[in-house]
């Protein structure tokens, strides 16, 4: 009887792990659960924009997208410290910087949960043993440890999918998407005027994030890796909302005088078409493929990769 129950558990766990809600729950962390390949040529770190901007499927180089959403530079560094050994000597590390990467974001326990499943405990901020146990139980045996939660999520996922089949996906209004994204950022970081100088608190945050960025670059250089800072593309309706003063106050100080090249695609006209975006910030599959190909060609031409 016990063998039958264990077998049912294994089957149910397998089904649950392949459902969309389960992968969404971990916000992309499941890609770290299977050991990555060694001798990776190029990896990218980053948050939401990076998740959707890089696609190495058609590349002649072995690439890996290590971005998760949402995520700060500190989390990027923790991932890099855990997985750098999978990158070949001389490999490229793309450190993605977005408009507000220089500021602090507040993350709750639910955000931190995924890191317990693939990072060393010493590299997890605000580590709590009870949260680690919870995360590992949900990862290793979800149907046994949290049956009610799994059933509820599965039913909700099926209902959501069925509605999606009936209801056509609305066409994206990039003006609205850009406005919503900007309003969300302003609310999150307490900013009213994008042209105004940084507040004292924001200036301290930016200096702290710059230290992290410089530590990441030094970490790469010490291990014969090639760090490159990348500001990914965004839809022009969004990029045009950032005045020159914003770039000078919030982005330039972060990337100024660092020991790594900076590739800035924030205002790239070659990637301005609607078809390259799924939202004003996130690229579509077609956009990611084109952007990644263009970026790799640049790396080749400028002799960062061979």
């Amino acid at each position: 009887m016990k063998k039958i129950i264990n077998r049912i558990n294994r089957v149910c766990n397998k089904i649950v792990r392949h459902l969309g809600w389960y992968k969404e729950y971990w916000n992309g962390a499941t890609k770290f659960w299977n050991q990555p390949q060694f001798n990776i040529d190029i990896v990218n770190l980053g948050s939401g924009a990076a998740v959707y901007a890089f696609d190495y499927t058609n590349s002649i180089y072995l690439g890996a997208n290590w971005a998760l959403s949402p995520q700060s530079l500190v989390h990027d560094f923790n991932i890099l410290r855990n997985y750098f050994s999978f990158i070949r000597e001389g490999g490229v590390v793309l450190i993605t910087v977005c408009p507000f990467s220089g500021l602090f974001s507040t993350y709750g326990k639910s955000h931190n949960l995924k890191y317990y499943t693939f990072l060393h405990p010493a590299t997890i901020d605000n580590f709590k043993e009870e949260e680690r146990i919870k995360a590992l139980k949900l990862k290793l045996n979800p149907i046994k440890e949290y049956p009610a939660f799994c059933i509820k999520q599965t039913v909700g996922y099926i209902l959501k999918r069925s509605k999606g089949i009936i209801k056509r996906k609305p066409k994206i209004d990039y003006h609205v998407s850009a406005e919503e994204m900007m309003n969300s950022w302003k609310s999150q970081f307490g900013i009213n005027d994008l042209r105004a100088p940084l507040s004292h608190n924001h200036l301290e945050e930016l200096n702290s994030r710059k230290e992290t960025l410089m530590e990441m670059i030094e970490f790469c250089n010490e291990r014969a890796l090639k760090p490159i800072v990348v500001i990914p593309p965004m839809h022009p309706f969004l990029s045009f909302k950032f005045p020159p003063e914003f770039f000078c106050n919030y982005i330039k100080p972060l990337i100024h005088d660092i020991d790594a090249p900076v590739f800035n695609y924030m205002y790239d006209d070659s990637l301005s078409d609607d078809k390259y975006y799924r939202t004003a910030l996130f690229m579509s599959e077609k956009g990611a493929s084109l952007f990644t190909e263009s970026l790799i060609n640049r790396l080749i031409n400028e002799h960062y990769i061979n």
Side-chain angles (χ1 to χ4, degrees), residues 249-292:
N249 291 333
Y250 285 84
I251 301 178
K252 191 174 179 179
L254 181 67
I255 60 178
H256 177 68
D257 200 27
I258 57 175
D259 190 19
V262 177
F263 293 179
N264 182 9
Y265 294 91
M266 188 169 173
Y267 302 100
D268 194 320
D269 290 337
S270 68
L271 295 162
S272 61
D273 197 286
D274 288 357
K275 65 185 178 185
Y276 297 140
Y277 297 89
R278 63 183 69 202
T279 71
L281 181 64
F282 298 156
M283 302 196 81
S284 64
E285 290 182 4
K286 183 176 289 187
S289 180
L290 179 63
F291 169 61
T292 306

Side-chain angles (χ1 to χ4, degrees), residues 67 206 213 224 290:
L206 192 144
L213 179 59
L290 179 63

Side-chain angles (χ1 to χ4, degrees), residues 21-303:
W21 76 261
Y22 188 76
K23 295 179 180 179
E24 290 171 7
Y25 180 82
W26 294 108
N27 285 327
T30 55
K31 64 187 173 185
F32 290 100
W33 292 358
N34 296 319
Q35 183 170 302
Q37 290 179 270
F38 283 99
N39 295 315
I40 300 174
D41 297 305
I42 178 172
V43 304
N44 68 271
L45 304 164
S47 190
V51 169
Y52 293 101
F54 298 94
D55 181 1
Y56 307 98
T57 305
N58 299 318
S59 174
I60 60 173
Y61 294 99
L62 179 58
N65 188 331
W66 289 352
L68 293 174
S69 178
Q71 187 157 272
S72 69
L73 283 172
V74 174
H75 294 103
D76 286 342
F77 195 10
N78 290 337
I79 290 174
L80 180 62
R81 287 191 290 179
N82 276 264
Y83 289 90
F84 76 91
S85 60
F86 291 96
I87 309 169
R88 70 168 174 84
E89 184 175 342
V92 173
V93 177
L94 304 175
I95 303 172
T96 306
V97 169
C98 291
F100 296 95
S101 291
L103 303 185
F104 288 2
S105 295
T106 302
Y107 300 109
K109 288 194 301 184
S110 60
H111 171 267
N112 221 28
L113 200 67
K114 61 179 177 285
Y115 296 112
Y116 291 105
T117 67
F118 69 96
L119 292 184
H120 189 282
T123 59
I124 297 177
D125 293 338
N126 301 316
F127 176 85
K128 288 183 173 54
E129 178 63 14
E130 61 272 20
E131 289 296 298
R132 185 185 75 87
I133 293 172
K134 176 183 176 182
L136 293 179
K137 283 182 177 180
L138 191 53
K139 173 190 175 183
L140 299 173
N141 203 342
I143 202 69
K144 178 184 176 183
E145 301 293 344
Y146 300 98
F149 174 75
C150 290
I151 292 170
K152 179 182 177 182
Q153 292 295 323
T154 300
V155 171
Y157 174 75
I158 292 171
L159 291 174
K160 183 179 177 182
R161 291 277 293 179
S162 64
K163 289 180 181 178
I165 293 171
I166 299 170
K167 188 178 179 181
R168 290 187 64 185
K169 191 175 180 180
K171 186 178 179 181
I172 292 293
D173 185 325
Y174 293 96
H175 280 291
V176 173
S177 179
E179 187 68 22
E180 289 176 347
M181 192 73 249
M182 183 59 73
N183 289 338
S184 175
W185 275 328
K186 284 183 174 180
S187 174
Q188 179 181 356
F189 298 107
I191 298 172
N192 294 319
D193 185 0
L194 295 177
R195 291 181 171 82
L198 275 73
S199 67
H200 176 72
N201 286 341
H202 282 164
L203 186 58
E204 287 187 341
E205 292 175 3
L206 192 144
N207 289 334
S208 176
R209 285 292 184 254
K210 179 158 188 175
E211 286 183 16
T212 299
L213 179 59
M214 293 176 72
E215 286 175 11
M216 291 172 71
I217 292 168
E218 184 180 6
F219 182 91
C220 291
N221 289 333
E222 288 175 348
R223 287 156 182 81
L225 302 175
K226 297 174 183 175
I228 296 175
V229 174
V230 178
I231 304 175
M234 61 180 68
H235 194 283
F237 288 165
L238 181 57
S239 61
F240 290 158
K241 287 184 174 294
F242 291 101
E245 293 90 344
F246 176 88
F247 192 92
C248 289
N249 291 333
Y250 285 84
I251 301 178
K252 191 174 179 179
L254 181 67
I255 60 178
H256 177 68
D257 200 27
I258 57 175
D259 190 19
V262 177
F263 293 179
N264 182 9
Y265 294 91
M266 188 169 173
Y267 302 100
D268 194 320
D269 290 337
S270 68
L271 295 162
S272 61
D273 197 286
D274 288 357
K275 65 185 178 185
Y276 297 140
Y277 297 89
R278 63 183 69 202
T279 71
L281 181 64
F282 298 156
M283 302 196 81
S284 64
E285 290 182 4
K286 183 176 289 187
S289 180
L290 179 63
F291 169 61
T292 306
E293 179 184 4
S294 173
L295 178 60
I296 289 177
N297 286 335
R298 181 174 178 180
L299 293 174
I300 294 170
N301 293 334
E302 298 184 19
H303 308 291

